[in-house]
Amino acid sequence: MKLFKRAKDKNVHILIVEDDKTLNDAYRMILEHAGYLVDVAFNGEEALNLLDTLGQDPDIILLDLRMPVLDGIGFLKRFKPKDHPDCDIVVFTNYDSHKDIEEAYSLGVGRYVLKARTSPRDLLHIVERIGSEKAVA
Amino acid sequence: MKRVGINYDTLFHALPGHYLVMTPDGPDFTIVEVNDSLCDLANMNREDVINHPMSKVFPKSGDKESDAGADMLRESIQRAIDLAKPDNVGVIRYDLKDDDGNFVRKLWKTINYPIVRDGSVKGVILSTDDVTESFDSESYNKQRLEYLEHLIEINDSKDEFISVASHQLRTPATAVKQYLGMVLGGMFGELDEMNRDIIQRANDSNERQIGIISDLLKVAQVDSGKLSLVKEDVDLGQLVREIVQDQSEMFKKRDQTIELDVPKQAINAKIDRNIMRMVIENIVDNASKYTEEGKRISITVREDDDTAYVAVTDEGVGIPRQMLGKIFEKFSRVDNPLSTKVGGTGLGLYWAKKSTELHGGTVIYEPARPRGSIFTISLPKQPTVVEAEVVVR
């Protein structure tokens, strides 16, 4: 069995926005192990503050929807993905209602993933694919 | 004062009202005394009542309203005991058997009196009257309506509870999936065969847990009427081909042959593609699971003027006669040599049928000859469902 592949381009920067600490830790460990640069936030407000401090958009944001303080939809409304074309947002949630999906897409989200159906391997495939799409572009 | 030459036993039986005395041992409440007039009224023999639990003497009839009445009665008895105060049940429906053993609709006006001695409740006297004929139907209907509203409220909060609880359960289950996935993926070093086998089992179990949570959520969604359909014209033949293609590994693993009888021309129905895909997948998956290795499963797609049909026929274990009426109920599981191996929640067929019904269609079962099952999904080619429930993209 192969180890997780190391990311070819280690400069891909990913922001994880997830309120569950255990899950947030898991995603960080998986992505860091694969060689990505990772920042974490535990709700939408924290994510916005962090983005302000960084002064530069990450390449990918993994965004949970249901979070305290400021939820994923609230974050999207303030972050306005359409103003950040170089930043890919993957909505990473366990809520799969039409309403959530429609709203996230209408706010400019590119991908929608059901967390419970996503293994570490699937997660790496998703970010790897986005990374390679960016490299081609 | 001159004493009347009559004992309490005679007096009790001669009382004009209908009384029954129970011990306070809920939820069954053993009956220790009953007067003759109640025995007459309920068409029962004294010896069949005394020293028997309430639930046995007054069984549920299977009628929802009557059974709800039985529950309300039991709750009232318990309240009388807990609060040591008389509890008025009001008028409830509780059906009784007639001479032929058939349940007959009956309305009762009942009050439960606790017997309090030395500060504790020693028993409960139930006093009741048959008001089936005399009860004013207007106020009865009003009470029924209120009770119905109450039931709807409880049902809604049950749906909400299942939905919230399932969502809450999903997060830790998702986290387990990540950590097991990391270990299985060799992130912390290669695993030897035994460790891999153990972690793989934990991972399979986690997959099953996530599957159960998803099933619960799907059922809560259809039950609460919150399943919104995004309808479009879908060629059912093409959809079936895709499903079979996706599930080909499963058939191969079980060495099963899959036969498709799908016409070349499109058979379109206006359906929610994702939902109906899951419905068909569910039925095809069942057909494969409940059919032994090496056998055949065939899927036929047909249409007539206004209906499209997808029929899935297997040569499997089939469904025992006594389970026929129950397979589309929640949590129904058929006992057969394969079902222990297969696992599952017993929610799949319930969800499949409900979701098909939201499309204005249905799912029916019939036994296959000489052995096996045929599940037929029928769907109107043009929708007939209430459009208010449909989200249009």
Side-chain angles (χ1 to χ4, degrees), chain A residues 25-37:
Chain A
D25 284 350
Y27 293 144
R28 184 180 48 74
M29 287 164 79
I30 295 161
L31 294 169
E32 280 185 346
H33 182 84
Y36 292 102
L37 302 170

Side-chain angles (χ1 to χ4, degrees), chain B residues 314-379:
Chain B
D314 66 57
E315 298 177 335
V317 289
I319 300 196
R321 190 184 292 266
Q322 70 270 22
M323 282 300 293
L324 281 185
K326 296 186 182 143
I327 54 167
F328 292 107
E329 288 176 7
K330 267 186 247 186
F331 299 109
S332 77
R333 301 272 292 130
V334 177
D335 282 328
N336 61 49
L338 288 178
S339 59
T340 6
K341 208 170 114 192
V342 165
T345 53
L347 291 169
L349 276 181
Y350 171 82
W351 177 83
K353 185 168 187 179
K354 276 268 176 175
S355 304
T356 309
E357 284 170 357
L358 282 179
H359 285 82
T362 192
V363 183
I364 57 162
Y365 167 83
E366 59 192 304
R369 296 278 172 258
R371 176 175 200 268
S373 304
I374 308 172
F375 281 90
T376 306
I377 302 163
S378 56
L379 288 162

Side-chain angles (χ1 to χ4, degrees), chain B residues 182-302:
Chain B
M182 284 189 240
V183 178
L184 275 178
M187 219 171 105
F188 311 107
E190 279 293 311
L191 295 172
D192 63 32
E193 202 178 318
M194 193 179 78
N195 278 316
R196 164 163 304 281
D197 179 53
I198 297 294
I199 302 289
Q200 187 62 52
R201 283 174 192 225
N203 196 62
D204 293 348
S205 205
N206 170 253
E207 285 290 325
R208 217 168 67 225
Q209 181 185 22
I210 288 172
I212 294 169
I213 296 169
S214 294
D215 279 0
L216 283 171
L217 273 169
K218 276 156 63 183
V219 165
Q221 213 178 19
V222 284
D223 279 354
S224 63
K226 282 182 187 154
L227 181 71
S228 45
L229 304 176
V230 181
K231 291 193 176 184
E232 55 186 318
D233 270 323
V234 176
D235 174 5
L236 286 174
Q238 183 52 32
L239 185 63
V240 165
R241 280 190 211 101
E242 285 170 24
I243 291 168
V244 169
Q245 178 66 35
D246 284 357
Q247 296 189 331
S248 60
E249 274 302 307
M250 174 180 79
F251 301 121
K252 217 168 120 191
K253 227 164 91 186
R254 298 192 176 119
D255 193 25
Q256 291 162 338
T257 323
I258 181 98
E259 248 173 37
L260 275 186
D261 179 6
V262 178
K264 280 205 180 86
Q265 82 277 10
I267 295 185
N268 283 324
K270 220 175 183 70
I271 56 173
D272 184 308
R273 177 188 283 274
N274 290 332
I275 301 286
M276 279 318 296
R277 186 191 177 97
M278 285 194 275
V279 169
I280 300 171
E281 276 173 352
N282 182 293
I283 286 169
V284 173
D285 190 47
N286 275 348
S288 172
K289 277 182 189 160
Y290 293 104
T291 298
E292 295 88 344
E293 291 188 359
K295 297 208 167 177
R296 185 176 41 191
I297 291 148
S298 53
I299 309 178
T300 311
V301 183
R302 286 277 177 277

